Amino acid sequence: MNRQKYSRHISKLFSILSPTLLFVLLLPSHLLAEPSSFQVSVHFPSGKHKGKPSRTSGGAKRGNSLCLKLDPDKPTLTALMPTRDNKSFTTSKQPNFYFYVPPTSAQTGEFILRNKEEEDIVQASFKLPKQPGIVKLQIPPTVALETGESYKWYFTIVCNNNDRSADEYTEGTIERKVISPSVNKALQESPPLRQAKIYAKYYMWSETITKVLQIRQEKPNQWKELMESVGLEIIADEPVVPITELSKQI
């Protein structure tokens, strides 16, 4: 190819690529550092506490639960969290929480959220679903998490109203953080899958899992890959079961 033809070829190539290049140049620099796999699937990033989340405490931990019907091929009561210590981050004032509830004869569940002063800012009960699966809870709109603050939460299955020592529960912490304006802008301009990938990059678990659940039916592999990335593949096929709204709020 002579120089004249080569120049025409290069000019034509740039005329095709220039809109794409312009778009890339306008992206925030921290988003340009994404690995190529970022475009393929949602994997929650590794951390020093990464691993299968801690499971239930109470009777089921000892193998003699009064109300959980444990299957050897399924987990016991489990919080859908990205770390062994059930610690997560969020950008939301009212984040979502997700829990796997195995078959149970119990009818009532309880959720408590406690601030750093050890005050219960949410103490609510709800009716458990009749079928096993993943339940979703959202902080009531009357409560707003403060940025930079860490909160302790407890999710409990009430096996016996007259003997609360028989409760099955899991616990953890959540902290609200702020995302930069440039990242917020990228989120506003992105579809749910892209939003999930951005949230995952910044360790915002509540938003990541919520966004991927929105597209679970359309893109089931994305959900399975997210669950595998945090050691929860054993419940990746479990349905999300509806529950009644939180009640008895303090």
Side-chain angles (χ1 to χ4, degrees):
M1 181 182 296
N2 60 38
R3 181 173 296 181
Q4 186 176 8
K5 288 183 179 180
Y6 179 78
S7 297
R8 288 201 301 268
H9 176 76
I10 292 297
S11 297
K12 183 178 180 180
L13 181 62
F14 271 88
S15 68
I16 295 172
L17 294 180
S18 56
T20 302
L21 291 174
L22 179 60
F23 172 75
V24 171
L25 290 172
L26 290 175
L27 279 176
S29 59
H30 50 266
L31 295 181
L32 296 179
E34 293 291 354
S36 58
S37 61
F38 188 82
Q39 299 295 331
V40 179
S41 59
V42 180
H43 291 272
F44 208 72
S46 299
K48 65 178 181 179
H49 297 296
K50 184 180 177 181
K52 292 184 178 181
S54 62
R55 306 312 189 202
T56 184
S57 297
K61 191 174 182 180
R62 301 187 298 272
N64 58 349
S65 173
L66 296 180
C67 66
L68 299 184
K69 303 172 184 178
L70 301 181
D71 184 329
D73 297 324
K74 293 290 183 180
T76 183
L77 173 63
T78 302
L80 274 66
M81 288 285 162
T83 59
R84 293 191 304 272
D85 56 3
N86 282 345
K87 181 176 182 178
S88 65
F89 300 101
T90 183
T91 65
S92 175
K93 294 179 181 179
Q94 293 92 24
N96 296 326
F97 292 82
Y98 300 88
F99 303 90
Y100 170 71
V101 177
T104 178
S105 59
Q107 298 182 351
T108 304
E110 184 179 74
F111 182 79
I112 292 175
L113 187 68
R114 189 168 292 164
N115 63 19
K116 64 180 181 180
E117 284 80 25
E118 297 294 318
E119 300 168 334
D120 291 349
I121 59 173
V122 176
Q123 184 178 16
S125 63
F126 54 91
K127 186 175 292 186
L128 289 168
K130 295 181 179 180
Q131 65 181 109
I134 298 168
V135 300
K136 169 186 172 183
L137 294 180
Q138 183 176 21
I139 300 301
T142 53
V143 175
L145 272 60
E146 297 183 11
T147 56
E149 297 293 336
S150 183
Y151 298 81
K152 185 82 174 181
W153 55 260
Y154 302 86
F155 179 94
T156 302
I157 292 177
V158 182
C159 291
N160 184 343
N161 286 317
N162 298 318
D163 179 12
R164 295 302 299 271
S165 66
D167 286 354
E168 303 292 348
Y169 69 93
T170 183
E171 60 185 304
T173 59
I174 188 168
E175 181 179 344
R176 186 180 173 206
K177 289 183 172 289
V178 176
I179 282 183
S180 69
S182 60
V183 176
N184 274 324
K185 184 176 186 297
L187 288 166
Q188 293 170 7
E189 297 172 350
S190 301
L193 179 57
R194 175 69 181 176
Q195 290 178 10
K197 293 170 182 176
I198 295 173
Y199 281 125
K201 179 184 176 182
Y202 292 94
Y203 296 89
M204 299 297 117
W205 172 250
S206 178
E207 288 74 19
T208 300
I209 187 173
T210 297
K211 290 299 179 181
V212 178
L213 264 180
Q214 289 178 7
I215 59 173
R216 182 184 182 185
Q217 187 172 358
E218 177 188 355
K219 299 180 184 295
N221 286 338
Q222 299 290 351
W223 170 255
K224 291 182 179 180
E225 290 175 4
L226 176 63
M227 292 294 97
E228 289 174 0
S229 73
V230 294
L232 291 170
E233 60 274 9
I234 194 171
I235 56 175
D237 294 327
E238 292 295 326
V240 177
V241 292
I243 63 168
T244 56
E245 293 183 357
L246 297 179
S247 59
K248 299 181 183 178
Q249 299 171 20
I250 62 172

